[in-house]
Amino acid sequence: MTNPDIEKWRALAEKEVKRDPDNLVWETPEGIPVKPLYTADDLQGIGHLDSLPGLKPFVRGPRATMYTGRPWTIRQYAGFSTAEASNAFYRKALAAGQQGVSVAFDLATHRGYDSDHPRVVGDVGKAGVAIDSVEDMKILFDGIPLGDISVSMTMNGAVIPILASFIVAGEEQGVSRDKLSGTIQNDILKEFMVRNTYIYPPEPSMRIVADIIEYTAKEMPKFNSISISGYHMQEAGATLVQELAFTLADGREYVRAALKKGLNVDEFAGRLSFFFAIGMNFFMEAAKLRAARLLWTRIMEEFEPKKPSSLMLRTHCQTSGVSLQEQDPYNNVIRTAYEALSAALGGTQSLHTNALDEAIALPTEFSARIARNTQLILQHETGVTKVVDPLAGSYYVESLTNELAEKAWALMEEVEAMGGMTKAVNDGLPKRLIEEAATRKQAAIDRGDEVIVGVNKYRLENEDDLDILDIDNAAVRNAQIARIEKVRRQRDPKRWEETLNALREVARSGEGNILEAAVEAARARATLGEISDALREAFGDHAAVPKVVSKVYGAAYEGEPEYKTLVGRLDELATTMGERPKILVAKLGQDGHDRGAKIIASAFGDIGFDVVAGPLFQTPDEAADLAVESKVHVVGMSSLAAGHKTLAPQLVDALKSRGATDVIVVVGGVVPRQDYQYLLDKGVAAVFGPGTNVLDAARAVLDLMEGKRRNA
């Protein structure tokens, strides 16, 4: 388009919108200005435009033919209470067109606890499958030929006992470890940033990562030793630039750790994989995957590999969980379909599509079928697999790809200047930036600046109940305990003790490979908790100190009458009480997803509450002790992983037993509407489900406090 033509367009656009078209520019949360018109002029100076798929720098895809030769792998992430229930689900899904198994573990398993541990009473079988030993792993894959089906396992904290048990289960199925294919996540740096299912401190955790890369490089040539994950960063509130930069910086750190083990880069680089979230910014998400491949090639060239495949970024993607909404939940089918299309246009190698009810609970068979069929329809009915990288050459997409790459690279350089990602994580930089971004986004949603259909606009007057999957936590735990006891009765105690002692020595001395020693312990039927405890004895536990960002949520409301009124009302209550209203934001159980809790703590602090941010992984008794010690007026329990029906009543009872009956208990997070009355009957004063406006929650808490004072 010539410059005179652009001026003609500008005049026409100005006439149509009655204002300067420059004012139509949209600035994304990443700080990228998006114009209403892109032309060839926007592609000047972009270096990757002549690249081809399968060739460096792989912007257009890691394989020459991409989906025209073979579509992406449909890999649905799932785990249901017991190994038996999960196995039945996997077998049905494989028969219906799923092409690989992707395992979701419960939170007790993630944190390295056996199901009989007292800290995990409310977590067993919730949000995934409980795995305590090789016997559970064998049941999980019963009738699933591990020599033919690839298995992805999302596991980081307890990665050693889980991978060891998988290897032994394969052997006992008749499949040697060199024939096993799949991926273990093994991405511990991301856990310290956002997801928090860590066990050990960062330094020994990085040794575990390196030992797994070393072992699999030598023993498991078909198995991906690490899936470097940005998914949980975006779910925690990261911008796409942050997700891209921190994920690739993590990858660079893992490569360095493997090289320190004496490995040649070409021995393991081809088995590294990535994992990205795909949210609702359709074109930018596709551009993000293209930019990721461009930047990873640049990073890997630093290590001078000889194989071209060592420069390739291969990735799994999952549609966004945080974009799913409890309100008008059938809209989630539409959201997931658009996100899946974006992932396909961006060139993912495998994909999980979320089910419509996953904003509330684990998916039912009905919702899981819709999610899986979303991908089948994309592959077979839309024609997107017929052309490699159909967005290539788009003025807009190529410009976005370049913008994302430049901004992400600048952030990666900042991390490098700090001494690398381990140092940056220890200093708290990524966590702080992500939490600030999450708080800004929540404020934009609450203000209505960011529209979510059915939540803050076009909301239904009445919501229909949705059939959801409810797990009987107590029944699952009892069954798991019975199996653990059987394993302990039947194993050889001498061999069991010898293998665990050998594992402790490898961990303490720094000599030998931790995974290799753990495989021997798993063969001797050491449980997941026992293997984890052996490493705890050598490495210690990691405990994060909660920090809360401030003046981010409130800044978004500066000058707003509604916000000023609420702040004034709180000030009046504080004057009447003679102290600031004080709230403990508590995370109970083993759920480390703390995005919601951090946003509430930050926003309530800006509004004027005195906020106590409780540590992760508390028991109800520990939370009650902290509430009494801190003399709070309210405890806000944040729930995400379906433990609320067990943990909230225990918290209420724990406060009563300490004489703190005047403390108000509220629950917020992923709580199905069907559970509200149950919680209210158990003494919870209010429930704030998904999509609750933070200011509405603050008003409700003030109402409760004022009502209690009037009735005192």
Side-chain angles (χ1 to χ4, degrees):
M1 187 180 289
T2 64
N3 284 335
D5 287 336
I6 291 176
E7 290 308 311
K8 288 179 184 177
W9 170 83
R10 181 175 294 279
L12 181 61
E14 188 171 355
K15 181 179 179 182
E16 288 178 355
V17 301
K18 300 291 190 293
R19 62 177 184 238
D20 187 337
D22 286 342
N23 290 331
L24 295 177
V25 170
W26 164 49
E27 184 168 291
T28 73
E30 295 75 20
I32 295 175
V34 176
K35 304 182 297 183
L37 178 71
Y38 284 79
T39 70
D41 290 343
D42 293 293
L43 303 186
Q44 299 300 314
I46 295 179
H48 68 259
L49 297 178
D50 294 331
S51 65
L52 292 170
L55 298 175
K56 186 177 121 179
F58 307 104
V59 177
R60 300 194 62 187
R63 294 172 53 236
T65 56
M66 286 300 288
Y67 309 144
T68 64
R70 185 182 68 205
W72 65 88
T73 301
I74 298 172
R75 187 187 297 281
Q76 292 298 96
Y77 175 60
F80 296 88
S81 62
T82 63
E84 292 90 344
S86 297
N87 174 262
F89 181 88
Y90 297 152
R91 291 170 72 166
K92 285 182 183 177
L94 289 167
Q98 186 171 309
Q99 295 150 342
V101 171
S102 188
V103 183
F105 298 96
D106 75 354
L107 290 165
T109 303
H110 273 289
R111 292 269 296 141
Y113 293 114
D114 287 333
S115 296
D116 59 355
H117 198 285
R119 296 196 73 86
V120 298
V121 171
D123 297 298
V124 177
K126 294 287 192 180
V129 59
I131 297 293
D132 293 309
S133 72
V134 170
E135 295 305 314
D136 288 329
M137 195 70 82
K138 287 167 67 177
I139 294 168
L140 188 67
F141 296 112
D142 182 42
I144 297 173
L146 293 178
D148 302 322
I149 298 294
S150 69
V151 175
S152 172
M153 293 179 286
T154 301
M155 177 53 64
N156 302 283
V159 63
I160 286 290
I162 283 294
L163 187 50
S165 296
F166 175 69
I167 290 167
V168 175
E171 289 174 356
E172 296 185 9
Q173 195 188 87
V175 182
S176 59
R177 55 185 175 270
D178 62 307
K179 299 294 191 298
L180 294 171
S181 64
T183 304
I184 190 81
Q185 191 163 96
N186 193 27
D187 177 8
I188 201 63
L189 288 174
K190 168 262 301 175
E191 298 297 324
F192 294 117
M193 278 187 264
V194 289
R195 192 163 175 255
N196 299 313
T197 52
Y198 45 69
I199 302 175
Y200 319 108
E203 287 77 12
S205 295
M206 285 296 290
R207 180 189 164 195
I208 287 172
V209 171
D211 277 13
I212 290 172
I213 293 173
E214 178 186 49
Y215 182 94
T216 54
K218 294 176 179 177
E219 304 288 337
M220 303 173 73
K222 298 173 67 177
F223 199 82
N224 296 324
S225 55
I226 190 167
S227 175
I228 304 153
S229 174
Y231 183 87
H232 302 95
M233 297 181 201
Q234 189 180 137
E235 292 292 279
T239 67
L240 270 62
V241 165
Q242 291 168 349
E243 180 191 8
L244 189 55
F246 294 145
T247 304
L248 298 182
D250 281 351
R252 180 191 257 155
E253 196 84 340
Y254 295 136
V255 170
R256 288 170 175 160
L259 293 175
K260 286 180 182 177
K261 297 288 291 185
L263 294 174
N264 181 287
V265 66
D266 288 316
E267 287 184 273
F268 64 87
R271 306 313 303 173
L272 303 177
S273 67
F274 287 80
F275 176 28
F276 287 103
I278 302 296
M280 286 298 289
N281 191 341
F282 183 87
F283 290 107
M284 191 170 285
E285 289 287 4
K288 179 184 75 182
L289 299 186
R290 303 172 87 250
R293 292 191 289 269
L294 174 70
L295 292 179
W296 187 243
T297 296
R298 188 186 301 177
I299 288 169
M300 289 305 292
E301 284 179 327
E302 299 169 6
F303 304 106
E304 301 180 350
K306 301 296 186 289
K307 296 179 182 178
S309 60
S310 297
L311 301 172
M312 294 178 187
L313 180 144
R314 288 156 289 258
T315 190
H316 172 69
C317 289
Q318 181 174 339
T319 59
S320 174
V322 77
S323 74
L324 301 177
Q325 305 299 326
E326 180 204 32
Q327 294 82 4
D328 206 357
Y330 291 104
N331 289 340
N332 293 333
V333 177
I334 304 161
R335 293 184 178 103
T336 295
Y338 283 129
E339 290 168 350
L341 178 57
S342 179
L345 293 176
T348 189
Q349 278 59 71
S350 61
L351 179 62
H352 165 93
T353 34
N354 287 329
L356 67 97
D357 47 2
E358 287 187 73
I360 309 162
L362 289 171
T364 62
E365 282 195 31
F366 169 75
S367 65
R369 177 169 57 84
I370 293 173
R372 182 179 60 251
N373 287 352
T374 300
Q375 295 197 53
L376 292 171
I377 289 167
L378 265 181
Q379 288 187 352
H380 295 287
E381 298 186 26
T382 64
V384 297
T385 61
K386 306 300 183 186
V387 175
V388 179
D389 192 20
L391 294 182
S394 159
Y395 301 142
Y396 178 39
V397 172
E398 297 291 14
S399 180
L400 279 181
T401 301
N402 188 61
E403 283 264 25
L404 281 165
E406 288 186 352
K407 285 186 174 293
W409 187 259
L411 186 50
M412 280 187 279
E413 290 293 279
E414 185 178 342
V415 168
E416 283 293 284
M418 294 182 72
M421 203 57 182
T422 303
K423 183 68 165 59
V425 167
N426 277 330
D427 288 352
L429 172 73
K431 194 174 187 70
R432 176 176 59 79
L433 293 180
I434 291 171
E435 288 173 2
E436 288 175 356
T439 306
R440 276 192 295 271
K441 178 167 182 167
Q442 187 61 48
I445 292 169
D446 289 349
R447 284 169 49 89
D449 297 336
E450 184 170 322
V451 173
I452 301 177
V453 174
V455 177
N456 61 3
K457 199 169 185 178
Y458 312 112
R459 187 156 184 169
L460 295 176
E461 287 188 18
N462 297 297
E463 296 276 355
D464 294 330
D465 283 340
L466 188 69
D467 288 334
I468 61 170
L469 185 67
D470 190 25
I471 301 296
D472 186 341
N473 166 239
V476 173
R477 187 166 186 261
N478 290 336
Q480 289 299 122
I481 291 172
R483 188 176 293 143
I484 292 170
E485 291 173 348
K486 182 179 178 182
V487 166
R488 288 173 178 159
R489 283 195 309 270
Q490 293 181 343
R491 68 193 179 191
D492 179 342
K494 185 173 183 294
R495 186 173 172 230
W496 166 78
E497 185 176 14
E498 288 173 350
T499 57
L500 280 181
N501 285 338
L503 175 62
R504 287 188 193 94
E505 181 56 29
V506 169
R508 283 178 179 143
S509 68
E511 300 293 327
N513 186 283
I514 292 171
L515 178 56
E516 184 176 13
V519 168
E520 293 302 317
R523 285 198 188 105
R525 292 311 190 262
T527 66
L528 171 133
E530 291 165 348
I531 292 173
S532 298
D533 284 347
L535 297 178
R536 279 186 173 99
E537 290 175 33
F539 299 146
D541 278 289
H542 178 71
V545 178
K547 296 179 181 178
V548 178
V549 301
S550 62
K551 299 179 181 178
V552 174
Y553 189 91
Y557 278 92
E558 189 173 359
E560 292 274 345
E562 176 188 25
Y563 185 78
K564 289 172 67 176
T565 299
L566 180 60
V567 171
R569 184 180 161 197
L570 188 141
D571 288 342
E572 289 176 10
L573 179 60
T575 300
T576 303
M577 293 170 58
E579 59 181 330
R580 307 299 297 177
K582 196 171 192 179
I583 182 170
L584 165 63
V585 180
K587 285 290 294 181
L588 306 188
Q590 299 305 306
D591 170 29
H593 294 84
D594 60 354
R595 176 180 190 246
K598 289 292 185 65
I599 287 172
I600 288 295
S602 177
F604 271 52
D606 285 358
I607 291 165
F609 282 88
D610 187 355
V611 177
V612 177
L616 290 168
F617 314 127
Q618 282 193 310
T619 65
D621 282 323
E622 289 166 346
D625 285 339
L626 181 58
V628 172
E629 176 189 328
S630 304
K631 298 180 180 178
V632 303
H633 307 102
V634 182
V635 177
M637 173 184 151
S638 174
S639 175
L640 182 72
H644 52 272
K645 289 174 73 173
T646 301
L647 298 172
Q650 289 181 356
L651 174 61
V652 172
D653 291 343
L655 287 166
K656 285 179 182 175
S657 72
R658 289 155 176 78
T661 54
D662 57 333
V663 175
I664 298 166
V665 175
V666 298
V667 175
V670 180
V671 181
R673 291 174 185 275
Q674 294 93 313
D675 293 349
Y676 285 16
Q677 194 58 51
Y678 174 87
L679 294 176
L680 296 173
D681 291 343
K682 293 293 184 178
V684 171
V687 182
F688 306 112
T692 299
N693 185 296
V694 173
L695 296 190
D696 290 343
R699 285 190 202 93
V701 169
L702 285 177
D703 288 343
L704 289 168
M705 292 186 67
E706 290 169 347
K708 185 171 275 289
R709 284 187 63 79
R710 284 195 299 269
N711 297 326

mmCIF file with all atom_site columns, all heavy atoms in Angstrom, residues 17 36 49 95 150 242 260 263 277 280 399 463 492:
data_model
loop_
_atom_site.group_PDB
_atom_site.id
_atom_site.type_symbol
_atom_site.label_atom_id
_atom_site.label_alt_id
_atom_site.label_comp_id
_atom_site.label_asym_id
_atom_site.label_entity_id
_atom_site.label_seq_id
_atom_site.pdbx_PDB_ins_code
_atom_site.Cartn_x
_atom_site.Cartn_y
_atom_site.Cartn_z
_atom_site.occupancy
_atom_site.B_iso_or_equiv
_atom_site.pdbx_formal_charge
_atom_site.auth_seq_id
_atom_site.auth_comp_id
_atom_site.auth_asym_id
_atom_site.auth_atom_id
_atom_site.pdbx_PDB_model_num
ATOM 1  N N   . VAL A 1 17  ? -15.172 7.035   12.246 1.00 0.00 ? 17  VAL A N   1
ATOM 2  C CA  . VAL A 1 17  ? -15.193 6.930   13.705 1.00 0.00 ? 17  VAL A CA  1
ATOM 3  C C   . VAL A 1 17  ? -15.310 8.282   14.387 1.00 0.00 ? 17  VAL A C   1
ATOM 4  O O   . VAL A 1 17  ? -15.421 8.356   15.606 1.00 0.00 ? 17  VAL A O   1
ATOM 5  C CB  . VAL A 1 17  ? -13.935 6.199   14.233 1.00 0.00 ? 17  VAL A CB  1
ATOM 6  C CG1 . VAL A 1 17  ? -13.833 4.815   13.663 1.00 0.00 ? 17  VAL A CG1 1
ATOM 7  C CG2 . VAL A 1 17  ? -12.671 6.996   13.942 1.00 0.00 ? 17  VAL A CG2 1
ATOM 8  N N   . PRO A 1 36  ? -5.071  -0.218  14.500 1.00 0.00 ? 36  PRO A N   1
ATOM 9  C CA  . PRO A 1 36  ? -6.224  -0.737  13.755 1.00 0.00 ? 36  PRO A CA  1
ATOM 10 C C   . PRO A 1 36  ? -5.871  -1.182  12.338 1.00 0.00 ? 36  PRO A C   1
ATOM 11 O O   . PRO A 1 36  ? -6.667  -1.852  11.695 1.00 0.00 ? 36  PRO A O   1
ATOM 12 C CB  . PRO A 1 36  ? -7.195  0.450   13.732 1.00 0.00 ? 36  PRO A CB  1
ATOM 13 C CG  . PRO A 1 36  ? -6.324  1.651   13.854 1.00 0.00 ? 36  PRO A CG  1
ATOM 14 C CD  . PRO A 1 36  ? -5.179  1.238   14.722 1.00 0.00 ? 36  PRO A CD  1
ATOM 15 N N   . LEU A 1 49  ? 11.285  -13.252 8.127  1.00 0.00 ? 49  LEU A N   1
ATOM 16 C CA  . LEU A 1 49  ? 10.175  -13.364 7.175  1.00 0.00 ? 49  LEU A CA  1
ATOM 17 C C   . LEU A 1 49  ? 10.432  -14.381 6.070  1.00 0.00 ? 49  LEU A C   1
ATOM 18 O O   . LEU A 1 49  ? 9.486   -14.944 5.515  1.00 0.00 ? 49  LEU A O   1
ATOM 19 C CB  . LEU A 1 49  ? 9.865   -11.993 6.560  1.00 0.00 ? 49  LEU A CB  1
ATOM 20 C CG  . LEU A 1 49  ? 9.393   -10.923 7.559  1.00 0.00 ? 49  LEU A CG  1
ATOM 21 C CD1 . LEU A 1 49  ? 9.158   -9.608  6.840  1.00 0.00 ? 49  LEU A CD1 1
ATOM 22 C CD2 . LEU A 1 49  ? 8.127   -11.375 8.270  1.00 0.00 ? 49  LEU A CD2 1
ATOM 23 N N   . ALA A 1 95  ? -9.741  -45.136 23.158 1.00 0.00 ? 95  ALA A N   1
ATOM 24 C CA  . ALA A 1 95  ? -10.633 -45.792 22.194 1.00 0.00 ? 95  ALA A CA  1
ATOM 25 C C   . ALA A 1 95  ? -11.419 -44.780 21.376 1.00 0.00 ? 95  ALA A C   1
ATOM 26 O O   . ALA A 1 95  ? -11.814 -45.057 20.232 1.00 0.00 ? 95  ALA A O   1
ATOM 27 C CB  . ALA A 1 95  ? -11.588 -46.730 22.925 1.00 0.00 ? 95  ALA A CB  1
ATOM 28 N N   . SER A 1 150 ? 2.437   -42.985 24.345 1.00 0.00 ? 150 SER A N   1
ATOM 29 C CA  . SER A 1 150 ? 3.286   -42.037 25.075 1.00 0.00 ? 150 SER A CA  1
ATOM 30 C C   . SER A 1 150 ? 2.524   -41.499 26.284 1.00 0.00 ? 150 SER A C   1
ATOM 31 O O   . SER A 1 150 ? 1.309   -41.300 26.235 1.00 0.00 ? 150 SER A O   1
ATOM 32 C CB  . SER A 1 150 ? 3.732   -40.891 24.159 1.00 0.00 ? 150 SER A CB  1
ATOM 33 O OG  . SER A 1 150 ? 2.647   -40.068 23.830 1.00 0.00 ? 150 SER A OG  1
ATOM 34 N N   . GLN A 1 242 ? 5.947   -12.033 29.836 1.00 0.00 ? 242 GLN A N   1
ATOM 35 C CA  . GLN A 1 242 ? 6.525   -12.667 31.019 1.00 0.00 ? 242 GLN A CA  1
ATOM 36 C C   . GLN A 1 242 ? 6.540   -14.182 30.878 1.00 0.00 ? 242 GLN A C   1
ATOM 37 O O   . GLN A 1 242 ? 7.541   -14.839 31.197 1.00 0.00 ? 242 GLN A O   1
ATOM 38 C CB  . GLN A 1 242 ? 5.741   -12.258 32.267 1.00 0.00 ? 242 GLN A CB  1
ATOM 39 C CG  . GLN A 1 242 ? 5.923   -10.802 32.652 1.00 0.00 ? 242 GLN A CG  1
ATOM 40 C CD  . GLN A 1 242 ? 4.925   -10.347 33.706 1.00 0.00 ? 242 GLN A CD  1
ATOM 41 O OE1 . GLN A 1 242 ? 3.961   -11.058 34.020 1.00 0.00 ? 242 GLN A OE1 1
ATOM 42 N NE2 . GLN A 1 242 ? 5.137   -9.159  34.241 1.00 0.00 ? 242 GLN A NE2 1
ATOM 43 N N   . LYS A 1 260 ? 26.677  -29.026 33.215 1.00 0.00 ? 260 LYS A N   1
ATOM 44 C CA  . LYS A 1 260 ? 27.537  -29.179 34.392 1.00 0.00 ? 260 LYS A CA  1
ATOM 45 C C   . LYS A 1 260 ? 27.678  -30.639 34.814 1.00 0.00 ? 260 LYS A C   1
ATOM 46 O O   . LYS A 1 260 ? 28.629  -30.994 35.510 1.00 0.00 ? 260 LYS A O   1
ATOM 47 C CB  . LYS A 1 260 ? 26.985  -28.350 35.556 1.00 0.00 ? 260 LYS A CB  1
ATOM 48 C CG  . LYS A 1 260 ? 27.206  -26.848 35.408 1.00 0.00 ? 260 LYS A CG  1
ATOM 49 C CD  . LYS A 1 260 ? 26.625  -26.086 36.594 1.00 0.00 ? 260 LYS A CD  1
ATOM 50 C CE  . LYS A 1 260 ? 26.797  -24.581 36.409 1.00 0.00 ? 260 LYS A CE  1
ATOM 51 N NZ  . LYS A 1 260 ? 26.165  -23.823 37.523 1.00 0.00 ? 260 LYS A NZ  1
ATOM 52 N N   . LEU A 1 263 ? 27.314  -33.672 30.377 1.00 0.00 ? 263 LEU A N   1
ATOM 53 C CA  . LEU A 1 263 ? 26.641  -34.127 29.168 1.00 0.00 ? 263 LEU A CA  1
ATOM 54 C C   . LEU A 1 263 ? 26.991  -33.228 27.988 1.00 0.00 ? 263 LEU A C   1
ATOM 55 O O   . LEU A 1 263 ? 27.213  -32.022 28.156 1.00 0.00 ? 263 LEU A O   1
ATOM 56 C CB  . LEU A 1 263 ? 25.120  -34.116 29.370 1.00 0.00 ? 263 LEU A CB  1
ATOM 57 C CG  . LEU A 1 263 ? 24.546  -35.107 30.389 1.00 0.00 ? 263 LEU A CG  1
ATOM 58 C CD1 . LEU A 1 263 ? 23.058  -34.847 30.572 1.00 0.00 ? 263 LEU A CD1 1
ATOM 59 C CD2 . LEU A 1 263 ? 24.783  -36.543 29.952 1.00 0.00 ? 263 LEU A CD2 1
ATOM 60 N N   . ALA A 1 277 ? 0.562   -22.005 27.887 1.00 0.00 ? 277 ALA A N   1
ATOM 61 C CA  . ALA A 1 277 ? -0.874  -21.744 27.974 1.00 0.00 ? 277 ALA A CA  1
ATOM 62 C C   . ALA A 1 277 ? -1.326  -21.015 26.720 1.00 0.00 ? 277 ALA A C   1
ATOM 63 O O   . ALA A 1 277 ? -0.559  -20.264 26.111 1.00 0.00 ? 277 ALA A O   1
ATOM 64 C CB  . ALA A 1 277 ? -1.190  -20.894 29.202 1.00 0.00 ? 277 ALA A CB  1
ATOM 65 N N   . MET A 1 280 ? -7.048  -16.054 25.571 1.00 0.00 ? 280 MET A N   1
ATOM 66 C CA  . MET A 1 280 ? -8.070  -15.535 24.665 1.00 0.00 ? 280 MET A CA  1
ATOM 67 C C   . MET A 1 280 ? -7.588  -14.441 23.719 1.00 0.00 ? 280 MET A C   1
ATOM 68 O O   . MET A 1 280 ? -8.357  -13.990 22.874 1.00 0.00 ? 280 MET A O   1
ATOM 69 C CB  . MET A 1 280 ? -9.259  -15.016 25.480 1.00 0.00 ? 280 MET A CB  1
ATOM 70 C CG  . MET A 1 280 ? -10.111 -16.130 26.072 1.00 0.00 ? 280 MET A CG  1
ATOM 71 S SD  . MET A 1 280 ? -10.873 -17.187 24.812 1.00 0.00 ? 280 MET A SD  1
ATOM 72 C CE  . MET A 1 280 ? -12.092 -16.046 24.132 1.00 0.00 ? 280 MET A CE  1
ATOM 73 N N   . SER A 1 399 ? 4.254   -8.892  12.730 1.00 0.00 ? 399 SER A N   1
ATOM 74 C CA  . SER A 1 399 ? 4.642   -7.762  13.576 1.00 0.00 ? 399 SER A CA  1
ATOM 75 C C   . SER A 1 399 ? 4.551   -8.141  15.054 1.00 0.00 ? 399 SER A C   1
ATOM 76 O O   . SER A 1 399 ? 5.448   -7.837  15.845 1.00 0.00 ? 399 SER A O   1
ATOM 77 C CB  . SER A 1 399 ? 3.751   -6.555  13.274 1.00 0.00 ? 399 SER A CB  1
ATOM 78 O OG  . SER A 1 399 ? 4.105   -5.448  14.080 1.00 0.00 ? 399 SER A OG  1
ATOM 79 N N   . GLU A 1 463 ? -28.680 -18.516 37.054 1.00 0.00 ? 463 GLU A N   1
ATOM 80 C CA  . GLU A 1 463 ? -27.760 -19.527 36.549 1.00 0.00 ? 463 GLU A CA  1
ATOM 81 C C   . GLU A 1 463 ? -28.329 -20.922 36.800 1.00 0.00 ? 463 GLU A C   1
ATOM 82 O O   . GLU A 1 463 ? -28.821 -21.212 37.898 1.00 0.00 ? 463 GLU A O   1
ATOM 83 C CB  . GLU A 1 463 ? -26.400 -19.411 37.262 1.00 0.00 ? 463 GLU A CB  1
ATOM 84 C CG  . GLU A 1 463 ? -25.676 -18.108 37.013 1.00 0.00 ? 463 GLU A CG  1
ATOM 85 C CD  . GLU A 1 463 ? -24.877 -18.110 35.734 1.00 0.00 ? 463 GLU A CD  1
ATOM 86 O OE1 . GLU A 1 463 ? -24.803 -19.172 35.081 1.00 0.00 ? 463 GLU A OE1 1
ATOM 87 O OE2 . GLU A 1 463 ? -24.334 -17.052 35.385 1.00 0.00 ? 463 GLU A OE2 1
ATOM 88 N N   . ASP A 1 492 ? 9.915   -56.882 51.100 1.00 0.00 ? 492 ASP A N   1
ATOM 89 C CA  . ASP A 1 492 ? 11.071  -57.398 51.831 1.00 0.00 ? 492 ASP A CA  1
ATOM 90 C C   . ASP A 1 492 ? 11.663  -56.251 52.654 1.00 0.00 ? 492 ASP A C   1
ATOM 91 O O   . ASP A 1 492 ? 12.267  -55.322 52.089 1.00 0.00 ? 492 ASP A O   1
ATOM 92 C CB  . ASP A 1 492 ? 12.105  -57.934 50.833 1.00 0.00 ? 492 ASP A CB  1
ATOM 93 C CG  . ASP A 1 492 ? 13.355  -58.472 51.505 1.00 0.00 ? 492 ASP A CG  1
ATOM 94 O OD1 . ASP A 1 492 ? 13.607  -58.146 52.682 1.00 0.00 ? 492 ASP A OD1 1
ATOM 95 O OD2 . ASP A 1 492 ? 14.109  -59.207 50.845 1.00 0.00 ? 492 ASP A OD2 1
#
